Amino acid sequence: VLAVTLEVKDGNDTCIKAELLANLSVLYSVGNGTRMALMNLPDSAEVGKGSTCGSSSVAPMLVATFGNGHSLSLNFTKNMTLYRVDTLTVAYNLNDSTFFPDSKSTGTESVSTNLTGIQAQLNTTYRCFSASPVAMPKVNVTFTEMRMEAYMQSANLSKEETICTADASATTPAPKTTPATTTAAPTTSPGTPVQGNYNVTGSNGTCLLAKMGLQLNLTYTSTAQGKLVQEILNVQPGLVRASGSCGSTVATLSLTDELHFNLNFTFNLNSTTKKYHLGTISFDANMTDVTAPFHVVNNSLNYLRGTLGKSYMCSAEQTLLVNGNFTVNTFRLQVQPFGVNNNQFGAAEECQLDEDNMLIPIIVGAALAGLVLIVLIAYLIGRKRSHAGYQTI
Ligand SMILES: *[C@@H]1O[C@H](CO)[C@@H](O)[C@H](O)[C@H]1NC(C)=O
Ligand SMILES: *[C@@H]1O[C@H](CO)[C@@H](O)[C@H](O)[C@H]1NC(C)=O
Ligand SMILES: *[C@@H]1O[C@H](CO)[C@@H](O)[C@H](O)[C@H]1NC(C)=O
Ligand SMILES: *[C@@H]1O[C@H](CO)[C@@H](O)[C@H](O)[C@H]1NC(C)=O
Ligand SMILES: *[C@@H]1O[C@H](CO)[C@@H](O)[C@H](O)[C@H]1NC(C)=O
Ligand SMILES: *[C@@H]1O[C@H](CO)[C@@H](O)[C@H](O)[C@H]1NC(C)=O
Ligand SMILES: *[C@@H]1O[C@H](CO)[C@@H](O)[C@H](O)[C@H]1NC(C)=O
Ligand SMILES: *[C@@H]1O[C@H](CO)[C@@H](O)[C@H](O)[C@H]1NC(C)=O
Ligand SMILES: *[C@@H]1O[C@H](CO)[C@@H](O)[C@H](O)[C@H]1NC(C)=O
């Protein structure tokens, strides 16, 4: 993702300038409940209608429009010393089925808040590289890598910065020339990823079946922060496209998120032993904050081992190490890369982790049964003794 640059002008004079990344999560209603849509402000976002440098009676406003009728608006106010974002408004178009499939409502909805926490000294740039979330009813906006100024005195952002508290309290970034060896922990944990269905259909019908939740764990050197950072990213099934190819001994599943990444899983079948395994993972991503595009490939993997005609299943979380900078965490996974019949998974072969998890209830159950037996025996012996004692009297 590239930081989006937005500029509001009055004639030739720039009054608001912002460079930022923004992620939005929007809760919306579908037939049987609610769903979460995840959007981010794309590079193609534009300064839209309603943007103004303001006047004595109108507050300056930056309206960023993007996609199919969505927008993010920031309305500024100031006093003698400070300026701040007075109101943040998000408008989203529920007719956009890319982000809101199966939405029960149609049309555009908008929400806003006055609690943005974004304020800076006049004539300085507000700087906040840390993720700063702003909550609204049904919508959360998280800004990162933000540099922004309103009421500008020149066309360029002021060199003087007002640094947000999150950045100030973060460990002081190391100089850019010597990347620190310490890794900044991800600021937010995204939780368990949603399970997606990813199938590959070849000339002979569906040849690869997969359902799984995927979480990517990346470590890279951030240019903005001048140090190694870690990013945990949940793959959003709604935002990726599955494709691939199936051969007799090699099958590939490709997941593509148009703007960001391409993740490939390649499975190999040994036709002698009739066993398959995940042999290669490759990952490419375009990121703003990194000097070179992120590229990882490892073709000597041996994960997800199964038997031809059967599926491999693992409900427990599994960590697939690709290299030191990239791992894939899988959740509630079932795959079958070869020998798929009628779009159905074959019999499932469970992973060791699941079997171990099954073992715990079995052991606990057995222990309880044993305890009951001991109590029963003790009772019977006790009863026999007291009975015997009674007879002697
Ligand atoms: C903006 O700048 C251009 C060229 O620099 C100039 O021709 C034009 O008159 C200016 N417009 C205003 C409103 O100042
Ligand atoms: C809601 O419907 C979707 C699609 O029809 C289905 O995948 C999902 O399981 C349903 N959820 C509930 C809670 O019934
Ligand atoms: C400006 O506003 C801030 C809070 O928004 C307040 O703390 C400060 O006292 C105000 N300054 C003046 C000069 O009014
Ligand atoms: C900001 O800059 C303008 C123009 O240089 C100046 O008039 C104003 O007093 C400055 N305000 C503050 C709070 O520094
Ligand atoms: C499709 O099926 C035919 C007959 O079973 C087989 O010869 C051919 O290799 C298959 N093609 C692919 C792409 O799997
Ligand atoms: C991500 O990877 C790092 C380094 O390999 C590891 O320390 C961390 O626990 C991982 N986090 C998750 C959520 O997998
Ligand atoms: C990265 O960006 C380039 C150019 O914008 C594009 O051609 C390429 O497909 C992108 N890669 C990924 C993995 O999205
Ligand atoms: C298939 O597995 C057997 C036994 O492990 C091995 O000897 C053989 O090299 C494998 N074949 C391929 C093509 O990997
Ligand atoms: C590829 O993965 C294997 C198994 O996880 C690992 O031992 C090896 O170091 C990896 N290769 C590279 C280049 O990271």
Side-chain angles (χ1 to χ4, degrees):
V1 210
L2 289 166
V4 182
T5 302
L6 301 157
E7 201 169 342
V8 180
K9 287 184 171 190
D10 186 0
N12 289 342
D13 295 333
T14 302
C15 58
I16 307 171
K17 194 166 181 174
E19 297 170 3
L20 51 84
L21 293 174
N23 287 320
L24 293 87
S25 68
V26 180
L27 211 58
Y28 69 102
S29 301
V30 291
N32 59 0
T34 55
R35 246 187 246 168
M36 180 92 89
L38 292 137
M39 317 165 89
N40 45 46
L41 194 66
D43 300 344
S44 56
E46 285 177 352
V47 173
K49 228 175 89 190
S51 298
T52 172
C53 284
S55 64
S56 54
S57 57
V58 178
M61 180 143 102
L62 165 61
V63 180
T65 54
F66 62 99
N68 184 1
H70 314 294
S71 70
L72 190 69
S73 312
L74 294 86
N75 190 322
F76 294 85
T77 58
K78 66 167 177 174
N79 64 17
M80 298 292 283
T81 52
L82 302 170
Y83 67 94
R84 63 191 177 94
V85 176
D86 180 60
T87 315
L88 173 69
T89 305
V90 173
Y92 50 98
N93 177 12
L94 292 167
N95 297 348
D96 182 355
S97 56
T98 314
F99 290 110
F100 305 104
D102 311 322
S103 174
K104 211 157 73 175
S105 316
T106 55
T108 301
E109 286 191 5
S110 85
V111 292
S112 58
T113 181
N114 298 115
L115 304 171
T116 65
I118 300 173
Q119 68 171 30
Q121 299 286 332
L122 270 176
N123 300 347
T124 70
T125 298
Y126 175 80
R127 188 266 250 182
C128 202
F129 289 147
S130 309
S132 34
V134 179
M136 280 165 277
K138 294 199 267 188
V139 178
N140 280 311
V141 180
T142 304
F143 294 107
T144 41
E145 287 174 46
M146 186 184 223
R147 276 161 53 80
M148 179 168 73
E149 187 172 0
Y151 304 101
M152 293 171 79
Q153 300 294 333
S154 79
N156 297 318
L157 290 173
S158 298
K159 289 205 169 60
E160 296 286 312
E161 292 183 333
T162 299
I163 294 170
C164 67
T165 37
D167 278 11
S169 59
T171 49
T172 19
K176 284 186 182 181
T177 43
T178 52
T181 45
T182 50
T183 306
T187 38
T188 48
S189 157
T192 307
V194 177
Q195 189 188 45
N197 280 300
Y198 309 111
N199 299 339
V200 178
T201 303
S203 49
N204 286 354
T206 299
C207 52
L208 183 152
L209 291 173
K211 55 181 182 183
M212 54 196 168
L214 291 170
Q215 187 174 70
L216 313 177
N217 183 347
L218 297 82
T219 307
Y220 60 93
T221 307
S222 156
T223 46
Q225 297 177 50
K227 62 180 173 186
L228 284 175
V229 295
Q230 209 178 81
E231 185 165 334
I232 309 286
L233 201 112
N234 282 351
V235 173
Q236 301 299 329
L239 301 183
V240 300
R241 196 166 47 81
S243 59
S245 61
C246 302
S248 52
T249 59
V250 179
T252 299
L253 169 65
S254 287
L255 301 179
T256 310
D257 171 332
E258 297 298 346
L259 293 167
H260 307 114
F261 69 80
N262 184 33
L263 175 64
N264 292 320
F265 296 95
T266 302
F267 294 87
N268 304 95
L269 175 71
N270 183 325
S271 39
T272 318
T273 58
K274 306 257 184 274
K275 298 279 185 193
Y276 62 80
H277 69 273
L278 172 61
T280 305
I281 292 180
S282 73
F283 179 74
D284 290 277
N286 282 333
M287 294 184 296
T288 34
D289 191 25
V290 69
T291 37
F294 197 86
H295 170 74
V296 174
V297 59
N298 187 332
N299 52 20
S300 53
L301 304 176
N302 190 11
Y303 296 128
L304 318 187
R305 290 184 292 274
T307 308
L308 179 63
K310 293 184 177 168
S311 61
Y312 173 91
M313 187 151 125
C314 203
S315 303
E317 177 182 353
Q318 243 182 325
T319 299
L320 312 180
L321 177 87
V322 181
N323 74 8
N325 296 328
F326 184 67
T327 55
V328 178
N329 299 327
T330 67
F331 298 76
R332 296 204 293 137
L333 169 143
Q334 187 172 14
V335 292
Q336 186 170 342
F338 298 100
V340 171
N341 274 322
N342 305 321
N343 290 351
Q344 304 269 316
F345 280 111
E349 293 178 329
E350 292 255 354
C351 63
Q352 194 61 46
L353 284 166
D354 283 2
E355 285 177 0
D356 292 350
N357 287 347
M358 290 287 282
L359 217 58
I360 295 164
I362 291 172
I363 291 169
V364 170
L368 281 176
L371 205 65
V372 167
L373 207 66
I374 290 167
V375 169
L376 198 70
I377 290 168
Y379 168 77
L380 289 174
I381 290 172
R383 211 173 78 130
K384 204 169 173 188
R385 283 229 178 111
S386 64
H387 194 65
Y390 182 74
Q391 267 190 334
T392 52
I393 290 172

